[in-house]
Amino acid sequence: MKKITYILFIWLAVAEITTAQNRYVDNVKFENFSGNKVNEQLQINMDILLDDLNLKSNDMLILTPVLYSNTGAASLELPHVVTLGNKRNKVYIRNKKLRNSVAIPAQTKVVMPRENKTSQTINYTASVPFHDWMQNASLSIKASVQGCADCGESLDDLLLVDRVISEPYKPNYKLTYIVPEVEPIKIREDRHTATFNYIVAKHDLLRNYKNNANELDRVDKVITEVKNNKDLNITEFTIAGYASPEGNFESNRTLADRRANSFADYLSNTHGIKRNQFKVRGYGEDWEGLKNAVEKSSLADKNEILRIIRDITNPDARDAHLMRLSGGATYRNMLNNLYPPLRRTDYAIAYSVRPFNVEEAKEIIKTNPKLLSLNEMYLVAQTYPTGGKEFKEVFDIAARMFPNEPVAIVNSAATDIEGGNYQAAIDRMNKMESNPRMWNNLGVAYALLGNKEKAKEYFDKAVAKGEANAKANLEELEKAMDN
């Protein structure tokens, strides 16, 4: 029976201590908390309010702020706060005067005697070296009470804040997508080159002469595909004839003109194309084509050839200078290797394309996207989830088909940004950097790359042009910069 009584006594004593500690902690308030990283130091500030704390005369309440990593096992105790009951405080003062040992924990920041039933506030501050784990750390209070004979028991930690340093503000930037204007009449043009062989000084286009049959078969295939496509209506053929530079300049121009017309006659006779649909012109000697070929060549006299082409303005006078190079070897090399491709006929087929509905456009974009307008491509993109693979592919195709259209560049850059390809978006837009339509998306790309100054520059410019998205983005950027 005595043993049971003793155990009951111990249990009641422990319960009294624990109850007292719980009561004490419950009656302490923590307000006005702030945590900031300043110059590689973590600074903690808060007010500890003791107004409702009724501390027994012999008790000492020890409050210890503790930092805990939210992602690992790291932790750090901050300096303690101690508040003393009346008798406990007198003992503390007496021991200090006598230079005796005092029962106060080391690294105590504040010691405050508690005057029960009065308003008391401790303005707590602490600064510790910053470690990476503190970027995502919580702050708790570890409380313990010591009474007479210095007995006491620690309590479970009391969580104050689950994140000491606020999570960085995540701005919500608005990208610009532009709805392309409807193209009233879709006019397209296919450009091709044909290299035919002619009897010297003749303009007759003979199928069975040298490699002409293969070249004409290729031309026939191109024309037939265009003619048989019921979605197209041929509006015009443009034919340009060129000659290589040997011989008389004016004779070559006339010969190139006759040869271009012979090709037009072939198309008219073979494919039933009205002759008045052709625009035909003979340009004669193709010195620009020769210059480009020489620049790409490994000819020993390359620089001298280019000088002759550049400095001698009379085309017929150039021939004599070229013939003298390397005893004539250079000229023979040019005749055999560089001149033949210059004797060519360029032709372009212009045609109009009928409009397509969205379902038709979804199929055509896979096989022949050049027949679609930007508006038709945009409508196709809207049938797919924003930011998805198909959505991005459509805008990439649009940018490839319309490389000089600002609307295509802006929209494709927006999909790059949504996909996290910020630098790719910048590179895409930089070739039209002076176009105001680029500025908002350029600002977003730079902001997401972390270049906030450059982002602000573009947002400011776009806002000045009345861009609503840029105004909202500038506000978001400023919030992020203040964070």
Side-chain angles (χ1 to χ4, degrees), residues 336-350:
N336 294 329
N337 298 299
L338 301 189
Y339 279 26
L342 302 178
R343 304 164 194 146
R344 71 189 192 282
T345 303
D346 291 344
Y347 64 101
I349 311 168

Side-chain angles (χ1 to χ4, degrees), residues 198-268:
Y198 296 90
I199 297 173
V200 176
K202 300 291 185 180
H203 66 270
D204 303 286
L205 182 55
L206 305 176
R207 174 176 282 274
N208 296 323
Y209 185 68
K210 294 187 176 181
N211 195 46
N212 286 352
N214 289 336
E215 196 71 1
L216 287 172
D217 286 344
R218 189 166 64 86
V219 170
D220 292 341
K221 184 175 183 296
V222 170
I223 302 302
T224 299
E225 286 180 355
V226 175
K227 283 188 63 180
N228 290 345
N229 191 331
K230 302 304 180 183
D231 297 326
L232 313 181
N233 179 41
I234 296 175
T235 58
E236 186 178 80
F237 277 87
T238 302
I239 298 174
Y242 294 90
S244 53
E246 77 276 19
N248 178 268
F249 178 83
E250 188 56 35
S251 297
N252 282 335
R253 189 197 64 74
T254 302
L255 184 62
D257 184 77
R258 291 202 306 266
R259 287 175 175 176
N261 274 283
S262 73
F263 179 52
D265 291 338
Y266 171 84
L267 294 177
S268 180

Side-chain angles (χ1 to χ4, degrees), residues 26 74 80 96 109-110 127 154 179 223 260 303 350 371 417 482:
D26 289 344
H80 312 283
K96 281 189 69 176
K109 179 81 173 180
V110 177
S127 181
S154 297
V179 181
I223 302 302
N303 291 336
L371 300 184
I417 295 169
D482 291 340

Side-chain angles (χ1 to χ4, degrees), residues 66-85:
V66 186
L67 290 167
Y68 291 102
S69 169
N70 289 330
T71 58
S75 64
L76 179 68
E77 287 192 356
L78 303 182
H80 312 283
V81 172
V82 171
T83 181
L84 304 170

Side-chain angles (χ1 to χ4, degrees), residues 267-480:
L267 294 177
S268 180
N269 295 331
T270 305
H271 295 282
I273 303 168
K274 294 179 180 179
R275 197 60 172 78
N276 60 10
Q277 285 188 285
F278 290 96
K279 284 186 176 180
V280 183
R281 181 176 177 183
Y283 287 89
E285 296 176 355
D286 185 11
W287 286 99
E288 186 63 25
L290 178 62
K291 181 174 78 70
N292 293 335
V294 170
E295 287 174 343
K296 296 175 183 177
S297 75
S298 56
L299 289 170
D301 297 314
K302 177 193 294 189
N303 291 336
E304 182 60 16
I305 296 170
L306 294 174
R307 187 198 65 77
I308 291 170
I309 295 173
R310 182 185 67 245
D311 295 345
I312 299 176
T313 57
N314 184 339
D316 289 331
R318 293 171 182 163
D319 293 340
H321 290 271
L322 293 173
M323 290 177 183
R324 287 197 291 268
L325 298 175
S326 299
T330 295
Y331 189 70
R332 288 191 296 273
N333 188 335
M334 293 169 63
L335 280 175
N336 294 329
N337 298 299
L338 301 189
Y339 279 26
L342 302 178
R343 304 164 194 146
R344 71 189 192 282
T345 303
D346 291 344
Y347 64 101
I349 311 168
Y351 49 85
S352 61
V353 186
R354 74 170 179 87
F356 299 108
N357 62 41
V358 174
E359 291 307 313
E360 289 173 326
K362 289 181 74 171
E363 294 303 316
I364 291 171
I365 200 168
K366 301 173 186 175
T367 57
N368 202 356
K370 68 183 177 184
L371 300 184
L372 299 178
S373 68
L374 273 176
N375 181 268
E376 288 168 333
M377 292 184 185
Y378 183 89
L379 295 177
V380 169
Q382 301 313 300
T383 67
Y384 299 115
T386 301
K389 179 183 177 183
E390 295 91 348
F391 182 84
K392 175 173 170 49
E393 284 177 349
V394 172
F395 285 115
D396 284 343
I397 292 170
R400 190 169 68 250
M401 293 294 103
F402 298 90
N404 298 314
E405 284 292 335
V407 172
I409 301 301
V410 166
N411 290 344
S412 58
T415 66
D416 284 335
I417 295 169
E418 286 184 339
N421 300 317
Y422 310 134
Q423 190 58 52
I426 291 170
D427 294 341
R428 195 189 288 271
M429 291 184 286
N430 268 346
K431 62 182 179 180
M432 293 188 180
E433 187 273 339
S434 61
N435 191 312
R437 290 183 169 188
M438 306 293 152
W439 294 341
N440 179 64
N441 286 358
L442 275 168
V444 173
Y446 276 115
L448 293 174
L449 274 178
N451 191 339
K452 295 177 180 177
E453 290 74 20
K454 196 75 172 176
K456 186 176 185 305
E457 174 188 334
Y458 282 109
F459 287 149
D460 282 337
K461 289 166 65 174
V463 168
K465 289 292 184 180
E467 171 63 64
N469 283 345
K471 185 175 186 298
N473 288 340
L474 187 58
E475 292 173 357
E476 289 291 292
L477 178 68
E478 289 170 348
K479 290 177 185 177

